[in-house]
Amino acid sequence: MLLRTLKDEILEYFKKRAMFGYVFLGLFFAFLALRLFYMQVVSYEKFKQLSENNRIRIVRTKADRGFIKDIKGRLLVKNSPSYELKIVKEDVQDLNAILDKLEKVLPIDKKYAIKQVEKSYLYEPAVILRGLSFNQVAEILEHSDDYAGVEIGLEAVRSYMDSDAFSHVLGYMSEVNEQELQGSDYYRSGDMIGKTGVEKVYEKQLRGVDGAKQVEVDSYGRPVEILSEKQSIPGENITLTIDYEIQTFLHRLMDGKKGAVVVMDVNNFDVLSLYSAPTFNLMSFTPFATSQERLSIIKDPTKPLLNRAIEGRYPPGSVYKILMAVMGLMEKKINPDSRFTCTGEMQYGNFKYKCWKKDGHGTINLVQAIEESCDVYFYNLGLILGIDTIYDYSNKLSLGHKTGIALPNEKAGFFPSRQWKRDVRKEGWYPGETIITSIGQGYIATTPIQIAVMLGGIFNGGNIYTPNLVRYLENPATGHTRVPEHDPVQKVHIDKWAAGVAMKGMVKVVDGDRATGYRAKVPGVTIGGKTGTAQVVSLKRTEDMNEDDIPEHYRDHSWFAAVFPADNPKYVAVAMIEHGGAGSKGAAPIVGALVNKMADLGYVKRETGQETH
């Protein structure tokens, strides 16, 4: 009986265990069935796509970047082929091991390479080295089985006709940064993008639209067959208004100087040259260059990255007197025969305001005052006009405003007003401030291109355009061209008669008996010009020094602005030399040589019967 009872208990125990096992197995197989159903039915498309990706990939094909040409169709920027070393993250089993192998045959930066690969998508090749030689390419391809996941790509890189002469206009290209990647769904890590100049402003037009290929790859990730392809659309070519010969001529002329030169068509504000010195090599900011090269430019105390033509802000000095003369005539505060007496200084209240000529100019009229750049004449004129009128004309002629030229980082400069003084300085405007404003000193800060716009507006009848750098864009496939939209013209009322009187004085600046700008004289071409000498420090600091003994950073900025030919103004040229001393010595010879070159190139016709070189 006891044994029977024991046997029943044992059987009951095993029955329960067996039941538990049956339930467990049932649940396990049910889970497997559900999992299979999920993978094969519910997630069929997903896993099918993953499977296809192991065999078929979408490979981006870069669009050819558009060329940049000068006004006569000469190539300034083109593309040259360059071999790139790339790594596809998904195809590499041990990234460190593969980089160690590559390090033995190529000058790769392992830290940079790891960073690039980590940023890339699974099947998106990450560029880790550019500019490979044929021998380096051959080395990798010959042992390609040892470099699974490593690819050799061919990319177009920028090639310049004259990098240094055009650096501030064209701008440089470099790899996209994190901020640019986050703000766009177009670029991928390692892509090149325009960072400054025309390359940046017209990035979208120049880059075109990338295409794509559906490619079958082998187990090493190497393409076996192209299954389908969407063609890329090449970027547009851009033809600038800049003349290659003028720009490179100025590059040679400005060697060793700091400053800027702007040459512009008076009638439509097409910019024939926009040069800033010193300059730099555009290739210094590509991934081909070393960080030392970039640092040496960034830390250079002469600031070669500063585009002085549009970013440099300087008091215009006596160049501003041209506008003063025109507004004095238009407001009928003076006429061409109005005279003031210069004794070398003007007493106003408790202050004496000195003329640059210590002995004075005597009693002179407006044309003589322009010719000899008499400060006292314009002190008197400024007091008659008042700061409100002076500000109004200056404001309308773009002083204190960006001109809107299609280049990054343009600065507005500054022109003071009574309201500004009240709002910012919490003070009233003093007559003494009007006096110094009248000769282009004091609070005024202008860029060279603003002075070009001011003179262009005065001598074209009062039309203010946005300075234009691009003549047209061209579709390379069809040859179809289009002109980019321009801002509407601002019309300022300028009397032709008043501009003519100012021009009479400007011609004497270059050709008169007491011409302050005689160094700009060009045989066969009649030029209207104006010198400008903008003080950097108070005269008291330097008046007892010989000119050559004055430290460079205390020397005046040198200006010269010219409009030519004088009888039918076609071009304006403005030169500004930082710490170049008197305008007659520093900037005038630059403009003279420039106009002479433009005459040689046929932009200006030399008058017959006049002396020529």
Side-chain angles (χ1 to χ4, degrees), residues 369-555:
I370 295 172
E371 178 186 0
E372 299 185 51
S373 199
C374 175
D375 292 332
V376 170
Y377 191 99
F378 289 95
Y379 292 155
N380 283 287
L381 178 56
L383 287 172
I384 295 170
L385 286 165
I387 188 60
D388 297 331
T389 302
I390 293 172
Y391 172 78
D392 184 48
Y393 274 85
S394 303
N395 183 49
K396 287 176 179 172
L397 287 162
S398 294
L399 301 185
H401 300 282
K402 293 180 183 179
T403 66
I405 188 170
L407 287 175
N409 305 322
E410 184 187 9
K411 298 296 184 290
F414 181 72
F415 202 93
S417 67
R418 193 187 300 276
Q419 187 69 40
W420 163 80
K421 186 84 184 296
R422 190 182 300 126
D423 292 346
V424 177
R425 295 289 181 94
K426 310 300 181 189
E427 293 177 356
W429 184 267
Y430 301 116
E433 292 168 325
T434 303
I435 290 172
I436 57 174
T437 300
S438 304
I439 60 164
Q441 292 283 168
Y443 299 115
I444 308 176
T446 59
T447 61
I449 198 164
Q450 285 178 334
I451 296 299
V453 167
M454 179 191 84
L455 289 174
I458 290 174
F459 291 102
N460 73 4
N463 296 312
I464 303 296
Y465 305 90
T466 299
N468 181 40
L469 272 176
V470 175
R471 199 172 184 83
Y472 59 82
L473 295 97
E474 175 193 17
N475 183 321
T478 65
H480 176 72
T481 60
R482 65 185 179 91
V483 177
E485 291 184 5
H486 292 152
D487 293 335
V489 180
Q490 300 291 321
K491 185 73 179 174
V492 182
H493 177 63
I494 299 289
D495 282 341
K496 191 175 180 181
W497 165 80
V501 174
M503 178 60 83
K504 194 173 178 182
M506 291 171 72
V507 170
K508 285 186 173 291
V509 167
V510 179
D511 263 334
D513 296 334
R514 292 175 290 276
T516 51
Y518 70 92
R519 289 185 176 89
K521 190 172 181 178
V522 175
V525 181
T526 306
I527 299 171
K530 185 70 196 79
T531 55
T533 305
Q535 289 176 14
V536 175
V537 295
S538 168
L539 271 177
K540 291 179 183 175
R541 288 200 179 196
T542 58
E543 61 184 355
D544 296 328
M545 295 183 184
N546 292 321
E547 189 172 334
D548 293 339
D549 296 333
I550 299 173
E552 183 186 347
H553 60 282
Y554 281 178
R555 294 178 190 169

Side-chain angles (χ1 to χ4, degrees), residues 12-304:
E12 187 61 27
Y13 170 78
F14 278 107
K15 277 183 183 176
K16 287 182 179 176
R17 293 292 300 265
M19 185 62 70
F20 178 80
Y22 292 145
V23 170
F24 175 80
L25 285 173
L27 289 173
F28 177 74
F29 283 113
F31 172 78
L32 282 180
L34 286 171
R35 183 64 182 163
L36 284 171
F37 177 80
Y38 174 78
M39 294 176 70
Q40 295 188 3
V41 179
V42 177
S43 300
Y44 172 78
E45 289 298 330
K46 175 185 172 184
F47 288 104
K48 180 186 176 188
Q49 187 66 41
L50 285 173
S51 174
E52 288 292 299
N53 280 344
N54 286 333
R55 184 170 61 84
I56 299 170
R57 293 179 185 174
I58 303 299
V59 179
R60 187 167 59 137
T61 52
K62 292 278 191 70
D64 290 334
R65 195 171 179 87
F67 296 159
I68 303 178
K69 306 173 186 179
D70 87 332
I71 192 170
K72 295 177 181 172
R74 291 169 288 208
L75 277 176
L76 302 177
V77 187
K78 60 181 181 178
N79 301 320
S80 297
S82 171
Y83 290 105
E84 296 178 335
L85 188 69
K86 304 177 181 180
I87 286 185
V88 179
K89 186 194 298 184
E90 190 63 13
D91 292 335
V92 173
Q93 303 223 341
D94 186 336
L95 180 60
N96 272 309
I98 204 82
L99 291 176
D100 287 342
K101 277 186 192 177
L102 288 169
E103 251 185 339
K104 293 175 183 172
V105 293
L106 294 173
I108 63 167
D109 180 337
K110 191 174 175 183
K111 191 175 174 183
Y112 168 79
I114 292 172
K115 187 178 173 185
Q116 291 297 96
V117 173
E118 286 177 346
K119 284 194 297 184
S120 66
Y121 296 107
L122 290 179
Y123 298 104
E124 189 75 32
V127 179
I128 64 166
L129 185 65
R130 299 175 194 268
L132 274 69
S133 67
F134 286 112
N135 289 338
Q136 290 170 329
V137 171
E139 170 68 25
I140 298 299
L141 293 180
E142 188 178 350
H143 302 94
S144 59
D145 289 348
D146 296 334
Y147 299 114
V150 176
E151 292 182 1
I152 298 291
L154 189 62
E155 174 140 6
V157 298
R158 292 309 228 186
S159 173
Y160 303 98
M161 191 170 178
D162 192 327
S163 166
D164 286 12
F166 290 87
S167 59
H168 289 105
V169 173
L170 299 175
Y172 64 84
M173 295 191 65
S174 193
E175 284 189 2
V176 289
N177 57 34
E178 290 295 332
Q179 188 178 4
E180 289 159 343
L181 281 172
Q182 289 173 4
S184 169
D185 56 2
Y186 183 86
Y187 297 100
R188 300 284 183 271
S189 177
D191 281 356
M192 301 290 282
I193 188 172
K195 296 283 187 178
T196 60
V198 170
E199 295 274 23
K200 176 182 175 69
V201 175
Y202 290 91
E203 165 67 20
K204 188 174 180 182
Q205 292 83 355
L206 285 166
R207 78 185 184 197
V209 180
D210 291 343
K213 292 178 183 174
Q214 191 179 34
V215 180
E216 185 177 357
V217 296
D218 64 12
S219 59
Y220 286 86
R222 293 174 298 204
V224 175
E225 183 182 359
I226 297 173
L227 302 176
S228 63
E229 183 172 6
K230 178 187 173 187
Q231 294 288 341
S232 61
I233 301 172
E236 293 178 286
N237 297 328
I238 292 181
T239 295
L240 302 179
T241 56
I242 300 286
D243 185 297
Y244 170 81
E245 287 180 271
I246 297 176
Q247 186 82 1
T248 51
F249 178 75
L250 286 172
H251 179 52
R252 295 191 294 273
L253 210 58
M254 293 285 284
D255 185 34
K257 296 180 172 60
K258 289 184 290 182
V261 183
V262 177
V263 185
M264 204 169 71
D265 189 317
V266 168
N267 297 309
N268 57 15
F269 284 20
D270 277 359
V271 178
L272 273 76
S273 183
L274 188 137
Y275 184 78
S276 176
T279 182
F280 62 96
N281 187 339
L282 291 167
M283 296 303 289
S284 299
F285 288 86
T286 66
F288 296 91
T290 63
S291 56
Q292 285 78 15
E293 281 181 71
R294 288 188 285 274
L295 278 175
S296 68
I297 293 174
I298 293 168
K299 292 182 176 180
D300 189 332
T302 64
K303 299 180 179 177

